[in-house]
Amino acid sequence: PDNQRNRNGRYDDRYVRDSVHRLDRLAKDFEREVDRSLDRSRRDGTRSEDRINDQVRQFRDAVSDLKSRVGNGRDLDRSRNEAQRVLQEARQLDRIGVSSDNRVSSLWSQIRQELNVIAQAYGSYDRRTNNDDWWRRIPVLR
């Protein structure tokens, strides 16, 4: 991804937009795979399964909102709140640990790569404006 940065260290607008679109596809696949995995687990039919599915759905919804808001990617300020929400929802998923099989773990790994792009892009934007690196405090990105 370093070759996608301009001389100011910021990601190219198109690269950020494309990353959000990749994340949207991955979040949908992730939701489907987590549901399948839970249906084949001892959590099937439990409140725990419902909570995990709800959290995954909230994450997917947050990603969908970010995709809608990011538009052409040229104005990160327009979608800053949505990006922050995506990262917060991802932190919740990391906390509950939904990675139960290889497919789910693989998807989560790919999602984390896109989350890092988004955190870096919005973090770079934040550093230029108010020096608040809120994205660095999110454990999923370390």
Side-chain angles (χ1 to χ4, degrees), residues 21-31 59 107 110-111 114:
H21 283 258
R22 284 189 300 271
L23 181 60
D24 185 58
R25 285 190 303 275
L26 288 166
K28 289 173 184 171
D29 291 346
F30 184 73
E31 181 181 34
F59 173 70
L107 283 167
Q110 293 173 62
I111 285 170
E114 301 305 334

Side-chain angles (χ1 to χ4, degrees), residues 96-118:
I96 63 174
V98 296
S99 300
S100 56
D101 67 25
N102 289 340
R103 178 72 178 139
V104 171
S105 295
S106 174
L107 283 167
W108 187 246
S109 177
Q110 293 173 62
I111 285 170
R112 286 180 68 150
Q113 289 175 10
E114 301 305 334
L115 292 172
N116 280 323
V117 169
I118 291 164

Side-chain angles (χ1 to χ4, degrees), residues 12 14 18 50 75 80 90-91 115:
D12 175 82
R14 185 176 51 217
D18 291 350
D50 294 341
D75 184 4
R80 181 176 173 202
R91 183 182 65 210
L115 292 172

Side-chain angles (χ1 to χ4, degrees), residues 14-43:
R14 185 176 51 217
Y15 188 71
V16 173
R17 184 196 64 222
D18 291 350
S19 179
V20 169
H21 283 258
R22 284 189 300 271
L23 181 60
D24 185 58
R25 285 190 303 275
L26 288 166
K28 289 173 184 171
D29 291 346
F30 184 73
E31 181 181 34
R32 185 176 48 253
E33 289 300 321
V34 166
D35 187 47
R36 283 182 190 164
S37 178
L38 288 169
D39 286 345
R40 294 186 305 257
S41 76
R42 64 175 188 234
R43 290 181 174 174

Side-chain angles (χ1 to χ4, degrees), residues 1-139:
D2 285 340
N3 61 347
Q4 300 296 330
R5 294 176 190 245
N6 65 22
R7 61 180 182 269
N8 297 326
R10 290 200 50 218
Y11 281 107
D12 175 82
D13 296 338
R14 185 176 51 217
Y15 188 71
V16 173
R17 184 196 64 222
D18 291 350
S19 179
V20 169
H21 283 258
R22 284 189 300 271
L23 181 60
D24 185 58
R25 285 190 303 275
L26 288 166
K28 289 173 184 171
D29 291 346
F30 184 73
E31 181 181 34
R32 185 176 48 253
E33 289 300 321
V34 166
D35 187 47
R36 283 182 190 164
S37 178
L38 288 169
D39 286 345
R40 294 186 305 257
S41 76
R42 64 175 188 234
R43 290 181 174 174
D44 188 32
T46 66
R47 285 188 202 168
S48 175
E49 177 189 26
D50 294 341
R51 280 193 302 271
I52 292 169
N53 280 329
D54 286 346
Q55 188 62 50
V56 171
R57 191 173 309 105
Q58 288 176 36
F59 173 70
R60 190 214 9 125
D61 289 346
V63 171
S64 180
D65 291 347
L66 174 59
K67 179 185 167 197
S68 296
R69 191 74 173 165
V70 79
N72 62 13
R74 292 187 184 170
D75 184 4
L76 293 181
D77 194 40
R78 283 188 61 222
S79 53
R80 181 176 173 202
N81 290 337
E82 288 79 6
Q84 188 169 6
R85 181 173 157 230
V86 164
L87 296 170
Q88 288 169 342
E89 294 294 340
R91 183 182 65 210
Q92 291 296 328
L93 284 174
D94 231 15
R95 207 176 280 151
I96 63 174
V98 296
S99 300
S100 56
D101 67 25
N102 289 340
R103 178 72 178 139
V104 171
S105 295
S106 174
L107 283 167
W108 187 246
S109 177
Q110 293 173 62
I111 285 170
R112 286 180 68 150
Q113 289 175 10
E114 301 305 334
L115 292 172
N116 280 323
V117 169
I118 291 164
Q120 290 288 328
Y122 286 86
S124 295
Y125 180 80
D126 286 347
R127 275 194 294 281
R128 286 187 307 108
T129 58
N130 65 10
N131 255 351
D132 179 18
D133 287 351
W134 55 265
W135 57 273
R136 288 188 186 275
R137 296 188 298 271
I138 300 174

